[in-house]
Amino acid sequence: MALELKDIAYIAHLARLQLGAAEQSEALSRITNILSMIDQMQAVDTAGVEPLAHGFDASQRLRDDVVTETNQRDLLLKLAPSVDQGLFLVPKVLE
Amino acid sequence: MAWETVIGLEVHVQLATKSKLFSGSATTFGAEPNTQANVFDLALPGTLPVLNGEALRMAVKFGLAIGAHIGKKSVFDRKNYFYPDLPKGYQTSQLDHPIVGKGSLTITLDDGTSRTIGVTRAHLEEDAGKSLHELFPNDTGIDLNRAGTPLLEIVSEPELRSAKEAVAYLKKLHSLILYLGISDGDMSQGSMRCDANVSVRQQGDSKFGTRAEIKNINSFRFVEKAILIEAQRQIDILEDGGRIIQETRLYDPDRNETRSMRSKEVANDYRYFPEPDLLPVVIDDAFIAAVKTTLPELPDLKSQRFQSHYGLSDYDADVLSADRATADFFEVVANACGDAKLSANWVMGDLQSVLHKSELDIAHSPVSAHALAGLISRIKDNTISSKIAKTVFEAMINGEGSADTIIESKGLKQVTDSGAIEKLIDTIIAANPKQLEQYRSGQDKVFTFFVGQVMKESKGKANPAQVNDILLNKLKK
C-alpha cells in the first residue's frame, strides 16, 4: 500500500501534530520505509506461530484492591497553569 | 410497509472496587473534585499501571454468570483520542482479546414469553474524567476523580427487536450485576450507562439497515423513549425516500428527540494498538474455579426453585427473584411462617407499597422478615382475619411492636366463639326487618349488606367464614 501526502496530513491531524510541507514530505518517506520493512516481515511464514502481544515473555502481575494513594490535590493543582475551585481549567470545550 | 427495529446495546457497568483499575486511588462517589486523582490518573511521566486483581475477578464472575467463554489470555490496548478529561491521550481498553467472550442472557417480556439474547463480549476498560462546561464563562473545568475507575463494557448482539426488549435486557443485566455484587448499579450516579445502536429495516429483510449510535442514556425509561423516537426518525426519513447516515446521536429527554453529535469530525479512528505498559493477563483454571465458588444462586435458577420448592406461580417467582435482597427476605418470611403463597403476597403487595412510598429498599424495611412472618402466622392460625392483619401491619410500620403485642394491646383477636357471633347476628337481623324481607323475596345481594353490618359491629373481628355460614343459616329460616 503506497502512502500519499494526504494520508500523512490525516494521521498528523489525528495525532494533533502540526507539520509543515517539508516535514510532511520527510514523514512520508520515513513512514513509507517503515511500511516496506513491514512488507518484508510479512513475507515470513508464521503459520502455527502464536501472535505476540508483548515483547516480554511474562504475564501481568495483579494488584490487591487497596487504596494506597492519599489526597494530593493541592500539590498536583500547582502543576497546572490554570485552576479554580479545585478543578483544572482548559479553554472552553464546545460540543 | 411494516418496519422492524434492530437494536444492539453497549452497557458500561462501573465495577464496585475500592481502588481504580490501574492505580491505588480511591473510587468513592461524590468526593471533592480532584481529591481522588493522583499521579497515575493524571498520567504524569514515569508512572506505570498495575492491574487491580479484584476488577479482573469481577469481570470473570460476570462472564461465568452469562455462560461465556473466559479469555485465559486477555490483552489491553490503547484507544487513542484527545479530550481534556483524558490526560493520557488514550483510554486503556481491550480490543481483540477481551476478558469475556460470547455468552447469553435470557430475557422475559411482559407477555410472559422469553428470548435468549447473545452477548458478543465484555471487556475491562478505564473511565475518563468529567468535564464541567457550565461552571465558568470561558473555561471548562476538569475533575479527574473518575479517571481510571474500572468499567466493564458489555456488548450485546444486534438481536433486540423492540424498545421493550431493550428495556427487558437492560433490567435483566441490572438484576444480574446486583446479584453478583460487582456494581452498585446506580444509574443516577452513572454506575450503569447505556449506548444503543439502532437501525430499521423492512420486515423480512435479511440485511441490517444503517445504524445510528445513541450515546449515554441513563435510565430505563429513557432507553425505551430514545429507541422509539430514533426508530421513528429513521422510518420517516426512509419513507420520504431519504437515506440514513451512520453517526453518533445524543438523546435529549427534555425535548424527547435525538440529535447529531460531532457531525463535523471525521469518522472515529482510534488507532488501537497493544498497551506496551501492561503485559498480557494470563489466568488459569484454578483462578476461574476460585471465582466460580463465589457465584451466588442466580435469578433464573432461583425463580425455578421458588416454583418447585414453594409452589409459587411463574409470575410471583420471577418478581421475587429479580432482586436478591427481596428474594432473601421472602425466603426468611416463608420459612418462618410456613406459608409461601401468603408470604409472597405480603412481600410483593403491602410491604412493597410501603417501601415504595417511603423510598426505602428492602434492606431497610421498617418491618423485619421475622416480624412479618409473625403477622402471617396469626392469619394462618385464625387469630386475626386478613383484613385486620392490614391494621396490625400499619401499627407495625409505625413501630408499635410485634404482631402479637399489637393484637393483644388493641384487642384485635378474631371472634371465633360461634355463640357470640350468633348473638350478634340475631341482633342485626332483628334491627333490619326491611332488608330481611328483601333477602327472603329473592334479592340475594342483600346478603352482603348483612355481612357488612356484622363486620362493622364486631369491628372486623368476627371470623368471616363463620359469619358467612351462620348468617346463611339464619337468613334462610
Side-chain angles (χ1 to χ4, degrees):
Chain A
M1 183 186 79
L3 281 186
E4 295 173 34
L5 272 175
K6 71 172 189 346
D7 300 316
I8 299 297
Y10 173 70
I11 300 165
H13 169 73
L14 286 177
R16 299 297 186 271
L17 293 175
Q18 198 169 24
L19 300 184
E23 287 169 313
Q24 287 199 13
S25 301
E26 166 85 17
L28 176 61
S29 92
R30 285 188 180 212
I31 293 176
T32 301
N33 272 338
I34 293 170
L35 290 179
S36 69
M37 184 180 75
I38 291 172
D39 282 342
Q40 214 179 331
M41 287 161 68
Q42 273 174 339
V44 178
D45 180 11
T46 55
V49 179
E50 204 191 326
L52 195 66
H54 200 279
F56 294 161
D57 185 19
S59 62
Q60 179 60 37
R61 185 172 69 82
L62 299 180
R63 186 172 58 78
D64 286 340
D65 182 25
V66 180
V67 176
T68 51
E69 300 300 311
T70 53
N71 177 10
Q72 303 281 339
R73 181 170 79 174
D74 293 344
L75 202 62
L76 293 170
L77 285 180
K78 278 188 195 152
L79 299 170
S82 181
V83 298
D84 195 2
Q85 299 176 37
L87 296 162
F88 296 100
L89 296 190
V90 298
K92 191 129 189 140
V93 181
L94 297 172
E95 263 299 336
Chain B
M1 279 192 284
W3 293 96
E4 180 179 59
T5 309
V6 174
I7 307 148
L9 295 181
E10 293 171 16
V11 180
H12 287 87
V13 172
Q14 186 180 318
L15 298 176
T17 54
K18 295 184 196 76
S19 65
K20 292 188 179 175
L21 187 55
F22 298 116
S23 86
S25 300
T27 55
T28 318
F29 179 80
E32 282 287 299
N34 291 310
T35 53
Q36 296 180 162
N38 287 287
V39 290
F40 306 94
D41 320 309
L42 265 58
L44 294 192
T47 54
L48 285 170
V50 186
L51 180 61
N52 185 334
E54 191 54 28
L56 181 66
R57 269 184 283 276
M58 287 176 171
V60 170
K61 200 170 177 182
F62 173 78
L64 291 171
I66 61 161
H69 172 77
I70 305 296
K72 287 192 178 168
K73 185 170 180 178
S74 62
V75 177
F76 282 99
D77 298 277
R78 291 188 180 181
K79 178 182 179 177
N80 300 281
Y81 68 94
F82 289 101
Y83 206 76
D85 57 25
L86 187 77
K88 290 195 294 188
Y90 57 85
Q91 178 191 28
T92 306
S93 181
Q94 298 187 306
L95 183 65
D96 291 328
H97 304 281
I99 179 69
V100 177
K102 269 189 192 307
S104 66
L105 210 58
T106 300
I107 60 170
T108 307
L109 302 167
D110 288 342
D111 64 5
T113 56
S114 39
R115 280 195 65 204
T116 299
I117 306 299
V119 173
T120 316
R121 56 182 286 155
H123 63 260
L124 282 167
E125 64 182 26
E126 58 182 348
D127 208 344
K130 206 161 77 182
S131 296
L132 300 145
H133 301 295
E134 315 294 331
L135 217 52
F136 308 98
N138 303 311
D139 297 303
T140 291
I142 306 291
D143 174 7
L144 294 173
N145 278 351
R146 211 177 57 187
T149 297
L151 300 177
L152 187 66
E153 178 175 341
I154 303 157
V155 183
S156 87
E157 294 284 331
E159 290 177 351
L160 298 158
R161 291 290 176 267
S162 68
K164 288 223 178 316
E165 286 190 8
V167 172
Y169 171 87
L170 210 55
K171 285 193 169 161
K172 189 60 181 277
L173 204 56
H174 188 252
S175 156
L176 190 61
I177 60 168
L178 290 186
Y179 255 87
L180 296 171
I182 60 172
S183 173
D184 65 21
D186 191 333
M187 292 182 94
S188 68
Q189 295 182 358
S191 296
M192 187 165 154
R193 310 195 282 271
C194 172
D195 302 338
N197 286 304
V198 179
S199 65
V200 297
R201 65 176 172 186
Q202 292 283 316
Q203 204 105 45
D205 268 5
S206 57
K207 259 180 68 184
F208 291 137
T210 305
R211 67 173 195 264
E213 181 180 9
I214 314 170
K215 280 277 179 201
N216 259 335
I217 318 171
N218 58 9
S219 81
F220 294 125
R221 199 162 57 91
F222 289 165
V223 169
E224 184 167 1
K225 292 178 88 173
I227 290 170
L228 286 175
I229 206 76
E230 174 58 20
Q232 194 53 53
R233 185 190 71 88
Q234 295 184 11
I235 291 169
D236 289 347
I237 290 175
L238 292 171
E239 289 189 341
D240 284 348
R243 194 169 71 81
I244 307 297
I245 31 174
Q246 188 170 337
E247 61 179 347
T248 305
R249 300 179 69 84
L250 190 73
Y251 176 65
D252 179 344
D254 295 331
R255 297 193 200 167
N256 194 30
E257 62 175 28
T258 66
R259 57 170 179 269
S260 190
M261 271 174 93
R262 300 174 188 165
S263 48
K264 282 179 189 163
E265 266 216 45
V266 276
N268 290 334
D269 184 344
Y270 294 119
R271 295 148 295 140
Y272 280 93
F273 63 88
E275 162 66 281
D277 287 346
L278 287 161
L279 291 159
V281 180
V282 178
I283 53 176
D284 56 14
D285 290 334
F287 183 97
I288 296 172
V291 174
K292 210 169 205 164
T293 61
T294 67
L295 278 182
E297 180 184 38
L298 296 172
D300 291 349
L301 282 178
K302 202 183 274 285
S303 174
Q304 283 168 26
R305 182 168 62 81
F306 281 5
Q307 292 170 49
S308 61
H309 181 74
Y310 294 109
L312 295 186
S313 69
D314 259 28
Y315 177 82
D316 289 359
D318 275 352
V319 170
L320 288 169
S321 60
D323 171 60
R324 189 175 172 178
T326 305
D328 291 348
F329 194 99
F330 157 75
E331 283 209 86
V332 174
V333 178
N335 291 333
C337 75
D339 191 321
K341 182 62 196 161
L342 264 182
S343 301
N345 289 347
W346 275 88
V347 172
M348 295 190 302
D350 296 79
L351 179 66
Q352 210 53 250
S353 77
V354 164
L355 295 174
H356 187 76
K357 256 184 248 155
S358 44
E359 290 180 11
L360 288 171
D361 56 46
I362 201 155
H364 300 99
S365 168
V367 174
S368 74
H370 282 286
L372 182 58
L375 174 65
I376 295 171
S377 300
R378 294 294 84 82
I379 304 171
K380 260 193 81 188
D381 66 14
N382 276 326
T383 308
I384 52 173
S385 66
S386 299
K387 206 169 166 199
I388 289 288
K390 291 187 190 289
T391 314
V392 178
F393 184 67
E394 261 173 47
M396 291 168 75
I397 297 287
N398 294 332
E400 292 174 37
S402 72
D404 287 337
T405 312
I406 293 162
I407 293 165
E408 191 61 44
S409 68
K410 299 201 173 203
L412 294 173
K413 213 166 173 175
Q414 185 160 250
V415 179
T416 49
D417 170 0
S418 50
I421 296 175
E422 268 187 53
K423 233 172 105 187
L424 184 62
I425 288 177
D426 286 340
T427 323
I428 284 165
I429 291 178
N432 295 285
K434 206 171 122 204
Q435 280 79 1
L436 183 65
E437 183 75 8
Q438 286 170 343
Y439 181 79
R440 287 188 172 158
S441 67
Q443 295 184 41
D444 290 349
K445 274 191 274 180
V446 183
F447 185 73
T448 53
F449 162 79
F450 282 105
V451 175
Q453 290 299 306
V454 178
M455 294 316 278
K456 194 175 151 196
E457 278 304 310
S458 74
K459 297 192 175 72
K461 289 190 288 184
N463 178 298
Q466 279 175 295
V467 170
N468 266 339
D469 284 352
I470 299 170
L471 198 54
L472 210 54
N473 257 320
K474 298 237 176 217
L475 287 175
K476 271 187 187 152
K477 274 178 198 166

